[in-house]
Amino acid sequence: MIDKTCSIRDIATGIESGMTLGIGGWGGRRKPMAFVRELLQTPATDLTLLSFGGPDVGMLAAAGKVRKLVFGFVSMDLVPLEAHFRAARQAGAFEVMELDEGMFQLGLKAAAARLPFLPTRVGFGSDVLTTNPEIKTVKSPYGDEELVAVPALPVDVAICHVNQADTLGNSRISGPDPFFDEWFCRAAGKAFLTTEEVVPTDAFDDPLTALQMPIERNLVHGVALARHGAHPTSCAPAYGIDVDHLRHYSAAAKGGWPGYRAQYVDGLDLEGYVEAVGGAARIEALPLPVF
């Protein structure tokens, strides 16, 4: 069996300028932030991001690494609007394709199935088609109904953060927010996982655990240990959203990004970052959000 373990830096340094990245997680929840911070320290730029965005999008936008963003929203849950994303978008710093969340999912599913598009009725009567003229309509061959043809959203590399993984690429998402991580991985040429814990394969033997294992190991190219790697977003049940840190980070959008980056990103590995934000015990004491 293939040992798929690697480092966060291995994943980040494999990202080349011009690539399309699919970033898992959901707003302020279970974002692969340790990977994002490593990516900030590489020369890769001109990236296309696909994300239900949070600070992953904001940090990469603040660093000028984004050429195009495909998204359903960019939020940090308790901090409703990602300030760095807002500043970059208002400045016209990158192209955008803003989609309904269901349309975004259909685009990933089309790419996963190696189809050019999937049809839907969603989008009519909204500005989705107005602001995205590249999205076409198609007539059903089973009658004349006009449907929206959601284009496939293929991904070069997908990165998701999970609670547990083994060296073979089996993984588990224990929190209540798995959402669409598997579809980023299915739509990708290569998929990588960062994980809170590397466990033996028999940790997944309980049949009910299979209900928390949406990402099939054959989709996974590499697994990197990243304890507390979702911070400052949550990774239930291990730790909640660091609202205080996200407010500090958001305030940096008003001219303070270089200082924030110098304090929490540049020259730091994950261990150094954890110490910079107050240590492991502080992260693990963060209360879980209630939705």
Side-chain angles (χ1 to χ4, degrees):
M1 304 291 274
I2 299 174
D3 185 335
K4 298 180 180 178
T5 52
C6 60
S7 70
I8 306 168
R9 182 161 296 177
D10 290 337
I11 303 172
T13 56
I15 304 303
E16 300 176 2
S17 293
M19 278 187 167
T20 297
L21 305 186
I23 304 179
W26 182 263
R29 290 171 267 177
R30 212 170 27 76
K31 284 290 180 178
M33 296 307 300
F35 160 79
V36 170
R37 290 186 294 270
E38 282 287 347
L39 183 60
L40 290 174
Q41 300 182 73
T42 75
T45 188
D46 198 37
L47 301 172
T48 296
L49 303 184
L50 278 66
S51 179
F52 293 98
D56 55 325
V57 170
M59 288 189 185
L60 292 168
K65 289 185 174 288
V66 182
R67 180 185 68 82
K68 182 177 181 179
L69 174 64
V70 182
F71 67 108
F73 59 80
V74 182
S75 170
M76 298 186 297
D77 289 330
L78 296 173
V79 181
L81 186 59
E82 219 291 349
H84 296 268
F85 157 76
R86 176 180 182 174
R89 186 169 185 190
Q90 287 178 336
F94 45 72
E95 301 174 45
V96 295
M97 175 187 268
E98 184 172 4
L99 299 173
D100 164 89
E101 294 168 23
M103 294 176 75
F104 195 151
Q105 182 185 15
L106 285 175
L108 294 174
K109 288 184 174 181
R114 306 304 185 257
L115 294 171
F117 70 91
L118 281 175
T120 182
R121 296 186 179 93
V122 174
F124 290 119
S126 76
D127 281 337
V128 171
L129 300 183
T130 303
T131 58
N132 298 293
E134 67 271 37
I135 299 179
K136 309 299 183 184
T137 60
V138 64
K139 283 193 174 181
S140 168
Y142 304 104
D144 291 329
E145 183 181 5
E146 186 178 18
L147 300 168
V148 174
V150 180
L153 298 173
V155 172
D156 293 318
V157 177
I159 308 97
C160 299
H161 187 73
V162 299
N163 295 85
Q164 294 179 326
D166 67 7
T167 62
L168 306 177
N170 296 297
S171 65
R172 178 182 187 181
I173 298 173
S174 303
D177 54 357
F179 298 121
F180 305 130
D181 292 61
E182 67 173 296
W183 294 107
F184 283 107
C185 294
R186 293 181 189 280
K190 289 183 178 180
F192 294 88
L193 304 179
T194 59
T195 180
E196 292 288 319
E197 183 181 13
V198 175
V199 297
T201 302
D202 61 14
F204 304 123
D205 281 353
D206 185 337
L208 292 179
T209 301
L211 299 175
Q212 298 180 324
M213 300 175 67
I215 303 171
E216 297 171 13
R217 76 179 185 198
N218 65 291
L219 302 172
V220 177
H221 189 79
V223 174
L225 178 63
R227 189 157 183 80
H228 309 113
H231 184 275
T233 68
S234 68
C235 188
Y239 49 89
I241 299 172
D242 193 337
V243 178
D244 289 340
H245 186 87
L246 286 179
R247 285 177 175 152
H248 171 57
Y249 159 72
S250 294
K254 296 181 177 180
W257 168 250
Y260 178 91
R261 177 170 177 162
Q263 184 174 2
Y264 297 110
V265 178
D266 292 334
L268 295 181
D269 59 10
L270 179 53
E271 182 177 348
Y273 170 81
V274 169
E275 290 306 309
V277 298
R282 178 183 174 276
I283 293 174
E284 291 165 12
L286 292 168
L288 295 175
V290 177
F291 296 101

